[in-house]
Amino acid sequence: MRKMILLIKRDTWVFPYLRSYKKLLALIIFLGFMTTFSGAALMFTSGFLISRSAQIPENILMVYVPIVLTRAFGIGRPSFRYAERLVSHNWVLKIVSTFRRRLYELVETGTKSVYAKTQTGEVLNVLANDLFKIENFYLRTLFPTVIGLVIYILIAIGVGVFDWGFALAIFLILGMTTILAPMITLAVNGARDFKQQQLEAELYTDLTDTVMGLQDWILAGRTAELAERQQADFNAINQLKSKQAHFNWWRDFSGAMIIGFTAIVLLVFATRHFGGSSFGVNWIAAFVLAIFPAEDALTSISTGVGEWPRYQNSITRLNEMDEQAQAEAQLQTTQQAAQPSNPTIVLNQVTFGYDQTPVLQDLSLTIPDGQKIAILGQSGAGKTTLLKLLLGDEMPLAGTVTIGGTAVADLSSQRATLIAVLDQQPYLFASTVANNLRLGKLDATDEELWDVLEQVNLKELVVQLPDGLATPMSEMGSRFSGGERQRFALARILLQDTPIVILDEPTVALDPITELAVLETIFKTLHDKTVIWVTHHLTGIELVDKVIFIENQQIAMAGTPAKLMATEHRFQRLLALDHGDLMLE
Amino acid sequence: MLDKRLFKFPGARQALGVLSLLTLIQAIAIIGQGRFLSVAITDLWGGHQLTSIGMVLVWFMLAYLLRQVMGVAKQYALAPFADKTTASLQTQLTQKYAALGPRTVANQGTGKSVTLAVEGIDQVHDYLTLVLVKLFDMSITPWLILLYIATINFKQAVFLFVIYPVIVIFMIVLGLAAQAKADREYETFNRLSNHFVDSLRGLTTLKQLGLAKQYAQNIYDVSEDHRKATMSTLKIAILSTFALDFFTTLSIAVVALFLGLGLMDGATHLLPALTILVLAPEYFLPIRNFANDYHATLNGKNALADIMTLLEQPVAPETNRYVRRSQRWQATDTLTLEQVSFSYPNADRPALQQINLTLTGHAKVALVGTSGSGKSTLLNLLGGFLVGDGDVKINEQALPHLQQRQWQEQIQVLPQHPYIFHDTLRANLAFYAPNQRDEDLIAVLQQVGLADWFASLPDGLDTLIGEGAMQTSGGQAQRIGLARIMLDEERRVLLLDEPTAHLDIETEALLKETMLPVFDNRLVIFATHRLHWLRQMDWIIVMRDGQIAEQGTLADLIANNGYFVTLQAAMRGTTHA
């Protein structure tokens, strides 16, 4: 409970929006209330109507008002319900739009912690799922709870108008289902829900191990063991779920019994109060019958509140991300400089490392305008770190990184006009071919698009597509092969037209023949630009002006490919390996 | 609404029998509850004292209690059946996955396979409890109430009876209209709802293009479009619930009005009128409950159908036909493929065509070819993970396919991305050969070049690795995969599927030195793009468009000057003077 209050107090995701959309929220609660009210009022007026009619009044006009009201409430209940559902869904979806933008901006600000975590698709799904859960929290927990409580209080007040003693009794009796039951539910199910989430996570991991590692299980002849392990997981979860279900059954049973008891209290109350007079007796049926339609609204509080633990994690996670991002945003510098005229890159005695482990030590390198340079080295040698330093994503611990004399940190706002990046898996959006290309240059004409497509040898392919440039890429660009995807990304980069292009192992996922063809296209189309190419093997190495090897935090070897081939034994050996010297010795 | 296959589950008939009995008792209790309440109210209305109706109130409370107890009892009646059935389905699913093999499961989508076994089963459980209860309520309770009302007032009963199908028809018509509209807009709808995740995934690219900041507004706009599309569908979609609500509440109002008029004419008395008024909402309650949970019904039914379809998928027959001569593959053992072909489902051309192949003893065989030439398919077929057409023989033993238990116990596979289990390093290493001594495990780690990494682990061999624990790089995973193989000396057939494709050239060179000794005394089938391996191979199979273009020793193929020479020239690149 304390945890819940603390969370609500610190929350910036869910509850503040209630305040900023007060009016709509009031409308939803009003409509929700009116739905139940009409249902109860229908039975109330009907009860009165037939009781009064049974007294055989001389004139139908004497029951005219209840007749009209009965019809009105009969139509009112479904109409209010319909309106309530529409308005509440609309409200929630509106907030989700705001949430999405906010979550996107949060991830986008590039604060390292958030950014690094969102690299894997799984985290993204978790985040998108969190938003979905908040949607449900509003619809399934918050609205029904508030509406239920409003009805609860109004019932007590309604009786209180006639008799405060009975009002207090009803307040206490119904309080068992509207206040006590939700609290007990939260206390009992909270711990169970936590355990259940743990077990479910375990089950998912085990099942993923089963499915992804199925080949190994089969070969090892251990599939029987697999079924056994799964069985244990399932049993543990099912036991917990069964306990939860039993609790819910008996809770709902108690809720229903409380309503039945309330009906009798109302019967006694109505008889005591109205029983004396011949007209008054007609109210007895009215009061007693009205309580049953309110049952749903009152007992749904427990159900809604019982789901809270499910939403709690999502809300906590989003809030924590927010706090983290804010803390880091304050550390970022915002100085900005003018665009440099000459894009010469200079690394001067750069030292960098994570925690205690140095990655680069006193590294100096100058890349003049237009040079094509390849960066080689074993995995983990610091190639990617070097790129991050060039891009200004990381700051050197000592030394400077400048482009045209300006520190890269001061260039972050112009970075996209200065440096383009082609990495292993450039993202192609689930939109049309044209839209994907135009991301490189928003106002590019169709002619320009066709021009770059021709340069990257994709023109023929796109011409053949059913809708040409307007053909959807389909999700993740899965319509196209790996080589084609890289070419599309390259076309986008050509449109972006920056003086510097970084290639981060762009061909790692391709077979050697496709790889070579893509590399040739890349270097042909980027002939007038500075190209910095990180690669893990030597296919296409002769296309560059300069090769550097990074090893032991330093540049271990540097020179033109021709020179290295002539002088460096190690380079020769690697080249021989990579090209697979097949001549039989 | 009721899947016939449901009755095949053990205990189904009994559980459903008990359920209908309990529902029947509950329906009687509901009638009793309504009747006693009406009697109590009528008596009070007639001027009786509270004390004189005490007995009636007790009867009301008893009927009410019985009704609620029956509600819980129904759950108790169904729960064991539902638990047992879902547990057995879960086990069957896991066993089925194992029988179908990794390729079939991967084709279905690994995500879907996992979801089906968790969420799918959950939905079936809901179906077996909640939905069945509602279904039985709907088919018993209203009719009993109607029968009772008919004994009181036949005209009212006829009205209630007639209105029922009208409600159902309206619901169906409006439901279909909503479905049609939803179907029409489904694609837009889907595209819009995927847009957000799509944007988050592409954020790195957007940042590189300098568009990330501008895109925030786009996210908002698309989300708003999505809202509008959703709302316009929703307006119609919830019309069917509205119709249900509207007709049921209005029917109650109409019943009240008619009863009122009847009373004023003196045609009836308060007690029967009140009884009908109290029972009218109970008459409509089951169908309302059912309609509110209609989606749960559909999901549960579909999930059950999906699971049953999967369980009914055929598995390869005769997986125990092959009897090996010894656990270890001997130098004299022979594997032959004759005219073997294979097509993937829904593919327009076969992935393998008329493969003829003989692999003898401890040969080292390379598979080369461009992407899509059929190397991986052939390896999967040899591993028994795919079942094709044609003749397969091991040592003159004719076999229907290679998904043979004793054969699979002779082979080892090193794929491009060995799977690292979410488990300890020890369990990961000793996956094929449990009960290894720690010293042996550490020695192998040293051999595959993981000594430094091992030294940096917090808990040594007990360190948890894999997804969600300590992550391993591609190179490390590859070395762990190799270590697994080296720890099992009993398996002497080794299939390798481009294990070094994504490693840097120096790492590969180092790993090659460790791997070559492992190849000795084993039958090795090695698919690779990297030509330098070919010098260590005894035999080379060149694949092209699903067929074997050429095969022979390296010297043969070079002398032949055929497709292989063209291929390797293309692979070697531009220079190399």
Side-chain angles (χ1 to χ4, degrees):
Chain A
M1 194 56 83
R2 204 176 309 126
K3 215 167 111 194
M4 184 171 112
I5 292 165
L6 197 70
L7 175 59
I8 293 173
K9 220 183 253 169
R10 285 173 47 199
D11 165 71
T12 60
W13 273 91
V14 177
F15 298 96
Y17 290 93
L18 298 176
R19 240 165 285 140
S20 49
Y21 290 89
K22 259 185 292 203
K23 279 184 192 157
L24 260 175
L25 190 69
L27 180 64
I28 293 168
I29 289 164
F30 171 74
L31 290 171
F33 164 73
M34 282 309 285
T35 307
T36 307
F37 175 76
S38 302
L42 170 65
M43 290 313 282
F44 187 89
T45 48
S46 307
F48 177 82
L49 170 67
I50 63 165
S51 299
R52 180 76 184 104
S53 303
Q55 290 175 336
I56 317 190
E58 309 88 76
N59 195 326
I60 195 164
L61 283 177
M62 314 237 359
V63 288
Y64 185 70
V65 174
I67 286 178
V68 171
L69 283 180
T70 302
R71 280 199 211 130
F73 289 129
I75 297 169
R77 199 198 103 90
S79 309
F80 281 123
R81 184 161 180 233
Y82 183 73
E84 190 256 336
R85 287 181 73 180
L86 278 189
V87 175
S88 59
H89 275 92
N90 194 27
W91 187 79
V92 165
L93 288 172
K94 214 176 218 166
I95 288 197
V96 165
S97 296
T98 319
F99 278 176
R100 285 184 167 173
R101 180 167 57 187
R102 186 166 159 199
L103 182 59
Y104 173 86
E105 280 170 345
L106 198 62
V107 179
E108 189 275 330
T109 41
T111 46
K112 281 172 216 154
S113 60
V114 178
Y115 193 58
K117 274 187 218 156
T118 47
Q119 292 300 302
T120 56
E122 211 176 321
V123 178
L124 292 179
N125 283 334
V126 169
L127 289 177
N129 201 17
D130 283 345
L131 288 191
F132 180 70
K133 281 195 177 159
I134 292 184
E135 239 177 288
N136 271 343
F137 167 71
Y138 283 125
L139 289 172
R140 296 170 58 103
T141 300
L142 195 73
F143 296 157
T145 304
V146 175
I147 292 168
L149 288 175
V150 168
I151 286 169
Y152 163 56
I153 288 164
L154 285 180
I155 290 175
I157 290 176
V159 176
V161 170
F162 302 100
D163 189 324
W164 276 106
F166 271 105
L168 188 67
I170 286 186
F171 188 76
L172 290 177
I173 294 168
L174 286 183
M176 287 200 280
T177 170
T178 53
I179 312 247
L180 194 62
M183 283 167 80
I184 294 174
T185 307
L186 211 54
V188 173
N189 280 3
R192 257 184 221 151
D193 217 273
F194 180 71
K195 179 91 182 130
Q196 186 179 333
Q197 278 176 7
Q198 264 184 334
L199 285 172
E200 268 169 9
E202 231 165 82
L203 176 66
Y204 261 102
T205 318
D206 279 354
L207 262 173
T208 312
D209 265 4
T210 302
V211 173
M212 303 279 285
L214 194 52
Q215 179 166 305
D216 288 308
W217 289 104
I218 290 176
L219 289 182
R222 290 171 62 177
T223 50
E225 189 182 327
L226 201 62
E228 216 169 275
R229 190 179 70 159
Q230 225 80 279
Q231 188 94 52
D233 282 348
F234 285 135
N235 282 346
I237 287 191
N238 289 346
Q239 256 172 26
L240 209 62
K241 278 189 182 163
S242 163
K243 269 190 199 151
Q244 193 131 339
H246 279 75
F247 173 80
N248 287 345
W249 297 338
W250 288 109
R251 183 198 63 203
D252 292 348
F253 170 82
S254 317
M257 290 313 291
I258 286 167
I259 296 291
F261 192 61
T262 310
I264 291 189
V265 173
L266 280 171
L267 183 102
V268 174
F269 152 74
T271 314
R272 283 266 174 85
H273 236 271
F274 307 106
S277 72
S278 69
F279 181 75
V281 290
N282 297 325
W283 295 111
I284 299 175
F287 274 99
V288 175
L289 297 188
I291 188 66
F292 293 102
E295 178 181 346
D296 260 356
L298 296 176
T299 48
S300 65
I301 299 178
S302 295
T303 322
V305 171
E307 287 181 10
W308 165 256
R310 246 182 264 173
Y311 307 129
Q312 190 174 320
N313 277 349
S314 297
I315 298 174
T316 313
R317 189 159 35 225
L318 287 171
N319 276 309
E320 272 171 3
M321 218 169 90
D322 226 13
E323 279 162 25
Q324 230 169 20
Q326 270 165 11
E328 278 173 30
Q330 285 169 351
L331 295 177
Q332 287 192 332
T333 50
T334 46
Q335 260 185 343
Q336 291 306 331
Q339 174 107 14
S341 51
N342 171 18
T344 300
I345 301 166
V346 179
L347 284 90
N348 189 17
Q349 301 203 306
V350 168
T351 298
F352 184 80
Y354 296 98
D355 301 327
Q356 303 301 314
T357 343
V359 180
L360 299 172
Q361 198 93 49
D362 271 339
L363 185 142
S364 294
L365 175 69
T366 302
I367 307 172
D369 186 15
Q371 188 178 61
K372 314 280 178 286
I373 183 168
I375 303 175
L376 286 159
Q378 285 198 31
S379 14
K383 291 175 296 188
T384 311
T385 307
L386 189 62
L387 291 188
K388 282 187 181 161
L389 288 166
L390 284 177
L391 285 165
D393 285 346
E394 297 285 6
M395 295 297 143
L397 299 177
T400 55
V401 183
T402 57
I403 298 178
T406 314
V408 285
D410 300 336
L411 288 169
S412 64
S413 69
Q414 298 102 301
R415 199 179 85 184
T417 57
L418 203 57
I419 308 173
V421 182
L422 183 65
D423 55 22
Q424 293 180 19
Q425 282 177 318
Y427 198 80
L428 297 176
F429 292 85
S431 182
T432 61
V433 171
N435 281 347
N436 267 292
L437 293 179
R438 284 213 176 90
L439 288 174
K441 184 183 179 188
L442 294 175
D443 56 356
T445 61
D446 278 8
E447 264 165 55
E448 283 176 278
L449 299 187
W450 285 116
D451 182 49
V452 290
L453 284 173
E454 186 166 15
Q455 286 187 52
V456 300
N457 298 332
L458 280 176
K459 192 175 176 181
E460 275 173 49
L461 178 85
V462 177
V463 167
Q464 284 166 8
L465 292 175
D467 296 315
L469 284 173
T471 312
M473 280 271 181
S474 85
E475 204 172 344
M476 299 285 287
S478 52
R479 180 189 277 271
F480 303 104
S481 74
E484 285 159 0
R485 288 213 289 275
Q486 284 295 357
R487 285 171 193 274
F488 274 113
L490 178 62
R492 197 157 63 186
I493 279 172
L494 291 177
L495 283 169
Q496 201 182 349
D497 197 24
T498 57
I500 302 167
V501 177
I502 286 179
L503 306 171
D504 188 2
E505 304 196 353
T507 55
V508 73
L510 309 177
D511 73 75
I513 294 174
T514 319
E515 175 176 28
L516 196 64
V518 170
L519 283 174
E520 277 169 354
T521 313
I522 288 176
F523 280 97
K524 199 177 97 197
T525 52
L526 298 178
H527 61 92
D528 55 346
K529 302 184 189 305
T530 305
V531 178
I532 300 157
W533 174 33
V534 165
T535 176
H536 72 225
H537 67 158
L538 299 180
T539 301
I541 200 73
E542 55 287 333
L543 297 165
V544 301
D545 305 325
K546 185 178 176 183
V547 179
I548 62 168
F549 264 86
I550 297 186
E551 201 169 47
N552 301 327
Q553 302 125 41
Q554 291 282 350
I555 296 178
M557 217 195 299
T560 62
K563 183 191 144 210
L564 291 178
M565 230 180 289
T567 58
E568 292 283 347
H569 176 69
R570 182 164 162 214
F571 189 77
Q572 290 163 357
R573 194 176 62 89
L574 291 178
L575 202 63
L577 260 176
D578 209 42
H579 284 177
D581 213 337
L582 294 181
M583 294 309 119
L584 297 169
E585 285 139 27
Chain B
M1 275 305 115
L2 214 54
D3 195 316
K4 290 227 172 54
R5 290 181 279 202
L6 203 62
F7 292 104
K8 287 192 195 140
F9 294 126
R13 278 168 201 284
Q14 196 197 350
L16 294 182
V18 173
L19 178 63
S20 36
L21 186 72
L22 293 176
T23 309
L24 195 71
I25 297 174
Q26 192 180 36
I28 294 169
I30 289 172
I31 294 170
Q33 167 205 328
R35 180 70 187 178
F36 292 122
L37 186 64
S38 306
V39 170
I41 292 174
T42 313
D43 283 355
L44 290 173
W45 176 81
H48 288 253
Q49 288 303 305
L50 264 175
T51 44
S52 68
I53 60 154
M55 235 11 243
V56 182
L57 281 186
V58 168
W59 280 115
F60 161 71
M61 266 328 262
L62 283 177
Y64 190 81
L65 180 72
L66 182 63
R67 173 199 190 163
Q68 305 301 343
V69 168
M70 282 303 117
V72 179
K74 289 196 289 191
Q75 300 295 344
Y76 272 94
L78 276 182
F81 162 65
D83 290 350
K84 219 185 290 164
T85 307
T86 44
S88 120
L89 282 178
Q90 274 168 337
T91 314
Q92 285 178 49
L93 262 186
T94 315
Q95 284 165 349
K96 190 72 182 188
Y97 287 157
L100 284 172
R103 290 296 89 75
T104 320
V105 173
N107 279 349
Q108 171 176 272
T110 47
K112 199 188 158 201
S113 307
V114 175
T115 324
L116 197 62
V118 184
E119 273 146 41
I121 291 280
D122 265 352
Q123 286 167 349
V124 171
H125 195 272
D126 279 353
Y127 180 70
L128 291 181
T129 50
L130 299 176
V131 178
L132 281 184
V133 167
K134 289 182 177 170
L135 208 59
F136 273 66
D137 279 352
M138 198 171 63
S139 36
I140 295 176
T141 316
W143 314 116
L144 218 61
I145 292 175
L146 194 68
L147 218 62
Y148 180 69
I149 291 178
T151 63
I152 306 174
N153 184 329
F154 194 70
K155 260 187 3 203
Q156 292 293 340
V158 170
F159 170 74
L160 287 173
F161 179 68
V162 171
I163 196 78
Y164 205 89
V166 174
I167 293 171
V168 173
I169 288 168
F170 258 89
M171 263 178 66
I172 291 172
V173 169
L174 287 170
L176 288 178
Q179 191 59 49
K181 189 170 163 66
D183 285 348
R184 270 201 307 280
E185 292 185 357
Y186 184 72
E187 215 170 303
T188 344
F189 191 78
N190 240 0
R191 189 169 52 74
L192 291 176
S193 58
N194 286 336
H195 177 266
F196 179 59
V197 174
D198 192 40
S199 313
L200 281 183
R201 289 195 174 184
L203 194 56
T204 317
T205 303
L206 284 173
K207 274 196 111 159
Q208 289 164 0
L209 293 165
L211 292 172
K213 290 252 187 299
Q214 279 161 268
Y215 216 70
Q217 190 54 37
N218 180 274
I219 299 263
Y220 184 78
D221 293 342
V222 171
S223 185
E224 281 293 277
D225 286 347
H226 178 234
R227 175 176 68 85
K228 283 168 200 152
T230 313
M231 288 313 295
S232 82
T233 318
L234 209 60
K235 265 178 209 160
I236 295 185
I238 59 177
L239 257 188
S240 69
T241 2
F242 170 75
L244 174 77
D245 239 13
F246 182 79
F247 280 108
T248 51
T249 27
L250 202 62
S251 301
I252 296 168
V254 168
V255 166
L257 287 182
F258 279 128
L259 289 172
L261 292 176
L263 283 164
M264 278 197 282
D265 293 345
T268 177
H269 296 286
L270 180 59
L271 179 59
L274 202 57
T275 310
I276 294 174
L277 180 68
V278 170
L279 287 178
E282 303 286 0
Y283 171 71
F284 290 117
L285 191 64
I287 190 172
R288 277 167 65 160
N289 281 340
F290 182 77
N292 282 340
D293 263 351
Y294 185 65
H295 283 287
T297 316
L298 272 191
N299 290 343
K301 219 171 112 89
N302 291 342
L304 184 63
D306 281 354
I307 290 170
M308 297 311 280
T309 317
L310 192 104
L311 289 180
E312 282 158 15
Q313 256 188 48
V315 291
E318 302 184 77
T319 52
N320 285 321
R321 177 86 79 89
Y322 170 58
V323 183
R324 60 183 172 229
R325 287 199 256 180
S326 60
Q327 163 60 39
R328 293 187 180 195
W329 180 260
Q330 301 294 315
T332 50
D333 285 339
T334 309
L335 167 69
T336 315
L337 302 187
E338 269 172 39
Q339 299 288 74
V340 169
S341 299
F342 176 81
S343 294
Y344 286 99
N346 309 324
D348 42 8
R349 61 188 191 89
L352 287 180
Q353 276 185 70
Q354 292 157 5
I355 302 292
N356 291 305
L357 197 60
T358 305
L359 304 170
T360 309
H362 297 151
K364 284 173 252 171
V365 182
L367 280 176
V368 295
T370 57
S371 327
S373 60
K375 301 189 301 283
S376 293
T377 310
L378 182 55
L379 272 184
N380 275 313
L381 199 99
L382 289 172
F385 306 121
L386 292 175
V387 173
D389 307 317
D391 296 327
V392 183
K393 264 188 273 182
I394 300 179
N395 299 333
E396 297 307 311
Q397 240 185 93
L399 301 170
H401 51 72
L402 282 168
Q403 194 180 331
Q404 301 293 332
R405 214 162 57 86
Q406 295 212 351
W407 163 247
Q408 288 188 325
E409 281 169 11
Q410 285 182 303
I411 64 178
Q412 290 170 316
V413 176
L414 190 60
Q416 199 167 356
H417 301 281
Y419 186 72
I420 302 298
F421 293 92
H422 177 89
D423 208 334
T424 58
L425 175 61
R426 180 186 285 106
N428 262 292
L429 287 172
F431 191 84
Y432 283 89
N435 311 321
Q436 299 266 356
R437 291 183 312 160
D438 284 4
E439 302 95 271
D440 296 340
L441 296 178
I442 294 169
V444 169
L445 283 173
Q446 213 131 31
Q447 279 182 55
V448 296
L450 283 174
D452 287 346
W453 176 72
F454 176 67
S456 76
L457 293 180
D459 303 315
L461 288 170
D462 292 316
T463 309
L464 268 182
I465 57 173
E467 189 70 41
M470 180 169 231
Q471 298 271 3
T472 47
S473 73
Q476 285 159 352
Q478 203 53 263
R479 290 167 203 257
I480 292 172
L482 184 62
R484 264 183 208 158
I485 285 173
M486 290 164 70
L487 281 164
D488 188 352
E489 283 290 310
E490 294 305 307
R491 292 168 187 255
R492 290 301 173 100
V493 179
L494 182 52
L495 309 178
L496 304 103
D497 192 0
E498 297 184 34
T500 55
H502 58 285
L503 300 182
D504 67 86
I505 185 72
E506 290 199 282
T507 307
E508 183 182 5
L510 286 172
L511 210 54
K512 188 178 179 184
E513 283 163 29
T514 323
M515 282 164 80
L516 284 175
V518 181
F519 290 178
D520 291 336
N521 298 320
R522 278 185 163 92
L523 171 63
V524 177
I525 303 150
F526 191 165
T528 184
H529 285 315
R530 302 280 176 93
L531 295 171
H532 61 86
W533 290 96
L534 301 187
R535 291 218 338 235
Q536 279 79 31
M537 296 288 144
D538 307 326
W539 193 256
I540 296 165
I541 297 171
V542 188
M543 303 284 298
R544 186 185 202 177
D545 299 330
Q547 285 172 309
I548 295 179
E550 279 182 291
Q551 54 179 321
T553 62
L554 184 57
D556 291 345
L557 292 175
I558 289 174
N560 219 5
N561 201 16
Y563 177 61
F564 174 74
V565 174
T566 326
L567 187 73
Q568 58 114 341
M571 282 181 174
R572 290 166 73 180
T574 44
T575 56
H576 211 68

